[in-house]
Amino acid sequence: MSMVGVLIFAVALVAIVAVIIINSYNDLVKYRNRYKNAYSQIDVQLQRRYDLIPNLVETAKGYMKHERETLEAVIAARNSAINASSRAVQNPGDPQAMQQLGNAETVLTGALSRLMILSESYPELKADRTMTQVMEELSSTENRIAFARQAFNDSVTLYNTKSESFPSNLIANTFNFNVAELLPEAAPEIKNAPRVSF
């Protein structure tokens, strides 16, 4: 092989490696941006949920005067979830932020479930038009959150698969493309809590 042939081979090899590196880097950026966008959809629905909860509590207050502790627990859980959500928005996929958000959402879901179970004892509350409307909106929002969570987790899984696969893992390690955390669902005992329909 002549010197020119060796030089052409070396240039071609460097070009192939460069293309692999550039494509791997660009794919990692693309998948990271997808899961961040997917999280923004969760954030929109969580914010809608957080905005509905005070209406629910205010409506229930008029009927459930002796259940102050339960109502305060719902508001405290809501505030905790808002704080956790704010941290997660800053860095979607961060393991600690996703775990904190998952825990806060589990507590909030549990507090809401207890409120709904307790409200069964108040027939006038169940018949209240505002309560019915807020509950329908909250139920619709819960469904949207579930779909958005699934889309986010799918995007994170694609990103993680790409960042852990060869040769992308070499690029991911070099350029700090850290593994992203899935957003956990509510604990099974919370998910299977009795639902109250108005």
Side-chain angles (χ1 to χ4, degrees), residues 42-137:
I42 292 174
D43 185 51
V44 167
Q45 298 309 319
L46 288 176
Q47 190 58 51
R48 184 171 190 266
R49 180 186 195 207
Y50 302 150
D51 291 345
L52 288 169
I53 290 172
N55 295 336
L56 179 71
V57 170
E58 284 302 314
T59 303
K61 266 186 193 178
Y63 296 95
M64 302 172 77
K65 296 183 190 320
H66 303 294
E67 309 296 348
R68 181 179 178 146
E69 190 176 299
T70 301
L71 297 171
E72 288 175 354
V74 170
I75 292 299
R78 172 194 176 261
N79 293 340
S80 178
I82 288 172
N83 290 334
S85 180
S86 296
R87 286 189 293 277
V89 164
Q90 294 171 8
N91 195 5
D94 175 64
Q96 186 177 8
M98 291 295 103
Q99 191 61 47
Q100 288 174 348
L101 179 59
N103 292 342
E105 283 296 315
T106 297
V107 170
L108 178 56
T109 300
L112 285 170
S113 292
R114 284 187 295 283
L115 175 62
M116 293 304 101
I117 291 169
L118 192 60
S119 69
E120 272 291 298
S121 303
Y122 296 88
E124 307 86 26
L125 177 60
K126 287 174 46 175
D128 185 273
R129 184 177 177 170
T130 302
M131 186 68 164
T132 303
Q133 191 174 29
V134 172
M135 285 306 303
E136 286 174 6
E137 288 183 44

Side-chain angles (χ1 to χ4, degrees), residues 5 13-14 24 41 54 57 68 70-71 78 82 91 116 124 139 162 168 172 181 189-190 195:
L13 186 62
V14 167
S24 293
Q41 302 307 313
V57 170
R68 181 179 178 146
T70 301
L71 297 171
R78 172 194 176 261
I82 288 172
N91 195 5
M116 293 304 101
E124 307 86 26
S139 177
K162 182 67 176 178
S168 297
E181 185 75 19
E189 63 275 7
I190 300 299
R195 297 264 178 202

